[in-house]
Amino acid sequence: MIDERAPMNLAEWTVHGGRLSDARKAFATAQLPWIDLSTGINPDPWPGAADVAIDWRHLPEAAALEGLEASAGRCFGAEGKHILALPGTEMGLRTLGALPLPPPFRHVSPGYSTHGQALPDSRAIGFDQLAIEAERGGTILLANPANPDGRLIEPADLIAIAATLARSGGWLVVDEAFIDAHADASLIPHMSGTGQVIVLRSFGKFFGLAGVRLGFAVAAPAIIAQWRIALGSWPVSAAAIAIGAAAYGDADWIAATRIRLRLRADALDAVLRRHGLEPRGASPLFRLVECDAARLFEWLARRGILTRPFDYAPRWLRLGVPCDAEGLARLDRALDDG
């Protein structure tokens, strides 16, 4: 990287992605418009949101909430299972500690910072420790696909981990925030109705509508019932109910988007490799590269491209998939300049 300045302090940029307002202030002379590759959120959102009729005058009806959960359940392969709408997956993670989950608590790292905060005194473990840790029982929380390295665990392997945990009274919690981009990778269709497994799902990432603040939990009836009471009568807004129900019912868009995302991820891989950056990860929503992350983050930011660094891995930089050929070309030119 041809840049004589010392690399910037990345601490403030490692908490979470999507901080475009902060980036505009910090890099006031950056090329416009900004391209946000920091979140892993689909940059090409479901197009039907503006056409959905939303009743802002009344509290959401119980029947409408049930319709949303049924629509999501059909999409997840969760028919006949117990599903709960949440005001975002983040809220689901933050309320795990109120559920009757057994200690000891562990979370697979690297991963979301929220995973380390979701359960009291949770201890970080590596992916290669999963099988041994499962024999101890307790509760293990992990993401699939993993974030930020994009590792994808096959459902059969997760079933085996859950079975090992269950023999000692333990529970497995799987955060499937990025799983919608994969047609057959979710654990949900393989769950029994009473098993000791909780799966969390996110609406905003795949559908590109993070502002809707919608997520779901799929779990045994007793867990869902307790969770539902804690969230109250109106856990999500009328907008989230109406938009979510319609989007999950759009099977053609879902199928076509999975194909588009894969093609765009392949194109991003080609650009990264051309510049000596080897992409990692199975999720077509983002890629991880190993590099001088501080310098590359700043280099791209000064050219109006926001990416995501990590405090625990100073050589890691995550890039979301650009929305279109123009965005990819801008990234290509920025890397060429470097």
Side-chain angles (χ1 to χ4, degrees):
M1 189 68 63
I2 305 172
D3 193 339
E4 298 302 320
R5 292 169 300 197
M8 68 182 299
N9 181 359
L10 292 186
E12 63 179 300
W13 304 100
T14 61
V15 178
H16 59 75
R19 298 177 55 190
L20 274 180
S21 60
D22 293 331
R24 291 187 183 102
K25 295 176 184 176
F27 303 97
T29 61
Q31 179 182 346
L32 299 177
W34 275 88
I35 298 176
D36 186 2
L37 304 183
S38 69
T39 65
I41 294 169
N42 184 357
D44 188 13
W46 181 67
D51 299 323
V52 174
I54 301 169
D55 182 357
W56 294 109
R57 300 167 301 165
H58 302 102
L59 289 169
E61 296 280 354
L65 180 60
E66 291 171 3
L68 165 65
E69 292 172 346
S71 181
R74 286 189 292 273
C75 184
F76 301 163
E79 296 93 336
K81 299 182 176 69
H82 295 265
I83 182 168
L84 171 71
L86 299 163
T89 306
E90 173 83 3
M91 185 61 71
L93 290 165
R94 297 287 181 183
T95 53
L96 282 176
L99 300 177
L101 298 175
F105 301 120
R106 288 91 79 210
H107 60 281
V108 174
S109 181
Y112 296 97
S113 59
T114 307
H115 284 188
Q117 304 160 7
L119 294 165
D121 301 317
S122 183
R123 180 171 60 86
I125 62 172
F127 173 79
D128 58 352
Q129 297 173 276
L130 261 177
I132 293 175
E133 288 290 332
E135 294 176 355
R136 300 178 58 214
T139 302
I140 296 178
L141 168 61
L142 60 86
N144 193 44
N147 175 44
D149 62 4
R151 183 197 304 269
L152 187 65
I153 308 173
E154 293 297 321
D157 294 328
L158 289 175
I159 291 168
I161 294 296
T164 301
L165 276 164
R167 285 197 291 271
S168 299
W171 282 70
L172 178 65
V173 183
V174 183
D175 183 347
E176 292 189 341
F178 289 104
I179 205 75
D180 294 86
H182 305 267
D184 301 306
S186 174
L187 182 60
I188 291 174
H190 307 278
M191 292 169 62
S192 70
T194 58
Q196 290 166 215
V197 176
I198 297 172
V199 175
L200 296 169
R201 292 288 285 257
S202 170
F203 172 78
K205 290 181 172 60
F206 178 75
F207 287 92
L209 298 170
V212 173
R213 302 312 304 137
L214 179 62
F216 298 87
V218 180
I223 290 287
I224 293 297
Q226 180 171 335
W227 221 335
R228 196 180 295 280
I229 291 170
L231 290 174
S233 300
W234 304 285
V236 296
S237 70
I241 291 173
I243 293 171
Y248 279 119
D250 193 346
D252 290 342
W253 183 89
I254 291 170
T257 297
R258 285 173 175 153
I259 295 171
R260 283 195 298 270
L261 286 172
R262 176 55 59 193
L263 293 174
R264 289 173 183 168
D266 290 345
L268 174 60
D269 288 348
V271 166
L272 293 173
R273 289 190 174 111
R274 193 167 74 81
H275 295 282
L277 299 169
E278 184 58 33
R280 293 170 54 184
S283 174
L285 285 166
F286 61 88
R287 287 292 187 264
L288 185 73
V289 296
E290 189 167 348
C291 59
D292 186 341
R295 288 190 182 276
L296 185 54
F297 171 86
E298 183 176 7
W299 183 269
L300 293 175
R302 293 189 182 281
R303 286 148 185 81
I305 301 172
L306 187 61
T307 56
R308 174 69 193 280
F310 300 91
D311 55 358
Y312 54 81
R315 290 191 56 78
W316 283 7
L317 197 68
R318 194 188 68 189
L319 298 88
V321 177
C323 176
D324 51 29
E326 181 180 352
L328 185 63
R330 261 187 68 185
L331 176 63
D332 193 11
R333 288 194 299 272
L335 292 171
D336 257 339
D337 291 341

